[in-house]
């Protein structure tokens, strides 16, 4: 059902594959968060964790996280990454940091992983992705060559209901000579906004995307994509998005996007 | 100057490389239509043709036209192509057909060529594309494998100021599992609308793109993208665009787009 909706962003991006010391995943339960019937209510959702810690699957279950730094990243890209990564919670400790008083405190920012299929964001989805339409690849992660197309990483601030994506455009994204294609910009804005609203609300479908192009983006440059939750009206979530230079002095593109939450109860989590 | 604008569509798609019997281009003049200073007025534009018929360039100057049928096309794609191609003017005869009375008459439809860089649409651009940012590729034509990403062909009806694009989505365009990414749809709508307005008005830049997603497009299916000129207000051109099933019974996506004509005089050609 859910998988039949347009623009669905399966981005409730739990790091649900906890690594064993050997580096292999030790959770192997086929449980599709957001797609299955398990996800009944916000409280039930919170407690969703793989119930088996022993992998029953013969596959290497650790999908590649495309948002990790690689050699194609420019110094600017790496610098911005380091800046936001320093604000992040420590993943291995479940997002908690010890304060002076010995209490645990959540860091406001989190780096979201990025796979080459939306399916893989769901628990168990990595297995499904080997079975269902195995050749299919996420549009923004469909090119093997590092740096050739979309290089990006999304940092989420759950408290402030906003996220920042650091995006470096590769030579395969050309539109006007020497500049990024308007469709590639639209793709990134849709992806980032969908990722954010999906993270906050559960799976969503894009209903409307309204983009104003202000200033072109030269191929190869690094820009920031800021997406923020605007308001929630019933099942509809409204968000804004803008693309700026890394020092945020120049506005390249701005957009509004509204998405429909696929499950009624999900929007309650935002209020 | 022109090349510095966002979302520029260099799509005044003259078949400016007339083939010699050996299949090689015999026109080799570096004359960038729409970018150069040659293009002074509509009447001057009409008479723009390469002035030398002898190639001075050592390169093979015939760029690959990606809109030609290939083995990855499904029977539906091929059927739609044949339908619109039958309505086209015969390219070799300069778009003219002989009527019964012996008079020449223009066919209403024309198939537009599609290269892997916008530069190549300009006369002489094929040479420039070998010199300037040689690795850059048009976003919609950046994948070598036939059928893997965007397979499309645009047919233009100049009299009616509209065009139809036949689009077959490949497995690398996935967004929601099994369906086309919203960004890939936005990319095609921007490209097709930009192509049409560019064809009618000369080089344009996309100013606004407003998309409503109605119904998802399953990966691998063939759809039609209809784009039509709405109105012209000064330098601004407004167009509408919709994506439908091939029998036009189902509406997948609809959009409005407005573009700014890069040269003031160009819009006069529409009136």
């Amino acid at each position: 059902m859910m998988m039949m909706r347009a623009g669905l962003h399966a981005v409730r991006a739990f790091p649900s594959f906890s690594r064993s010391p050997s580096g292999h995943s030790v959770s192997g339960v086929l449980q599709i968060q957001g797609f299955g019937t398990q996800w009944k209510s916000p409280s039930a959702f919170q407690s969703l964790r793989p119930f088996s810690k022993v992998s029953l699957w013969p596959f290497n279950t650790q999908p590649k996280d495309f948002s990790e730094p690689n050699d194609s990243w420019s110094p600017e890209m790496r610098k911005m990454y380091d800046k936001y990564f320093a604000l992040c919670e420590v993943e291995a400790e479940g997002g908690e940091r010890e304060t002076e008083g010995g209490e645990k405190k959540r860091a406001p920012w989190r780096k979201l992983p990025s796979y080459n299929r939306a399916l893989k964001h769901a628990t168990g989805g990595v297995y499904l992705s080997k079975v269902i339409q195995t050749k299919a690849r996420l549009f923004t992660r469909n090119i093997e060559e590092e740096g050739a197309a979309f290089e990006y990483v999304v940092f989420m601030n759950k408290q402030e209901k906003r996220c920042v994506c650091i995006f470096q455009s590769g030579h395969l994204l050309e539109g006007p000579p020497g500049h990024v294609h308007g469709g590639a910009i639209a793709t990134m804005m849709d992806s980032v906004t969908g990722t954010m609203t999906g993270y906050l609300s559960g799976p969503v479908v894009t209903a409307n995307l309204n983009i104003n192009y202000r200033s072109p983006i030269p191929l190869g440059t690094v820009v920031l994509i800021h997406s923020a939750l605007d308001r929630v009206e019933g099942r509809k979530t409204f968000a804004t998005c803008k693309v700026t230079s890394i020092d945020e002095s120049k506005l390249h593109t701005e957009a509004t996007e509204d998405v429909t939450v696929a499950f009624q109860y999900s929007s309650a989590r935002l209020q």
Side-chain angles (χ1 to χ4, degrees), chain A:
Chain A
M1 271 286 287
M2 270 298 306
M3 295 156 77
M4 303 305 290
R5 305 288 296 271
L8 184 148
H9 301 278
V11 289
R12 193 60 176 76
F14 277 105
S16 48
F17 298 92
S18 49
R19 280 173 192 262
S20 71
S22 68
H24 286 82
S25 167
V26 289
S27 63
V29 182
L30 239 173
Q31 210 180 53
I32 316 288
Q33 282 165 356
F35 292 120
T37 53
Q38 308 269 2
W39 191 14
K40 288 270 167 40
S41 75
S43 59
F45 187 89
Q46 296 294 348
S47 64
L48 257 191
R49 284 288 180 270
F51 49 79
S52 165
K53 283 286 171 196
V54 182
S55 176
L56 303 173
W57 292 77
F59 308 118
N60 177 352
T61 55
Q62 192 65 42
K64 179 184 172 185
D65 181 355
F66 285 81
S67 67
E68 293 290 324
N70 65 52
D71 291 344
S72 77
W73 285 21
S74 68
E76 291 80 28
M77 178 88 177
R78 188 60 203 239
K79 192 178 158 195
M80 293 309 294
Y81 176 85
D82 291 344
K83 175 185 164 186
Y84 281 96
F85 194 75
L87 303 172
C88 284
E89 56 198 359
V90 185
E91 218 176 273
E93 296 181 10
E96 289 165 324
R97 280 179 179 165
E98 235 166 299
T99 58
E100 287 176 15
E103 284 174 15
K104 299 264 185 176
K105 194 184 167 190
R106 276 195 167 264
W109 290 88
R110 157 171 274 188
K111 172 186 162 293
L112 301 187
S114 178
Y115 311 120
N116 63 9
R117 295 198 68 186
L119 260 180
K120 292 184 180 175
H121 286 279
T123 308
V126 67
Y127 310 116
L128 271 188
S129 70
K130 291 177 193 287
V131 178
I132 302 172
Q133 299 206 7
T134 48
K135 284 175 73 188
R137 291 288 172 272
L138 186 67
F139 183 42
T140 56
R141 297 296 191 190
N142 67 7
I143 290 184
E144 295 279 335
E145 188 189 345
E146 289 176 349
F150 299 98
E151 287 291 338
Y152 65 97
V153 49
V154 178
F155 289 94
M156 180 75 209
N157 188 322
K158 198 175 169 184
Q159 277 103 313
E160 297 177 16
K161 290 170 184 165
R162 67 183 180 99
C163 72
V164 172
C165 170
I166 309 164
F167 167 43
Q168 176 181 296
S169 52
H171 61 269
L172 297 185
L173 304 185
E174 193 180 52
H179 291 82
V180 183
H181 195 287
I185 300 169
T187 299
M188 281 308 298
M189 295 183 108
D190 181 41
S191 294
V192 173
T193 307
T195 295
M196 181 198 63
T197 47
Y199 187 88
L200 294 171
S201 317
V204 293
V205 294
T206 304
N208 173 267
L209 178 61
N210 189 351
I211 306 172
N212 285 309
Y213 294 94
R214 304 290 186 200
S215 169
I217 303 172
L219 267 189
T221 53
V222 181
V223 292
L224 296 182
I225 305 171
H226 310 261
S227 194
L229 192 87
D230 183 18
R231 64 191 193 281
V232 179
E233 292 176 5
R235 293 180 62 182
K236 277 215 163 186
T237 299
F238 297 83
T240 58
C241 186
K242 61 177 181 174
V243 183
T244 69
S245 56
I246 51 174
D247 64 1
E248 301 183 32
S249 66
K250 183 166 193 171
L251 178 66
H252 289 289
T253 323
E254 56 188 343
T256 58
E257 176 162 343
D258 62 80
V259 301
T260 305
V261 176
F263 299 129
Q264 181 65 62
Y265 60 78
S266 303
S267 59
R269 301 186 63 234
L270 291 169
Q271 283 142 23

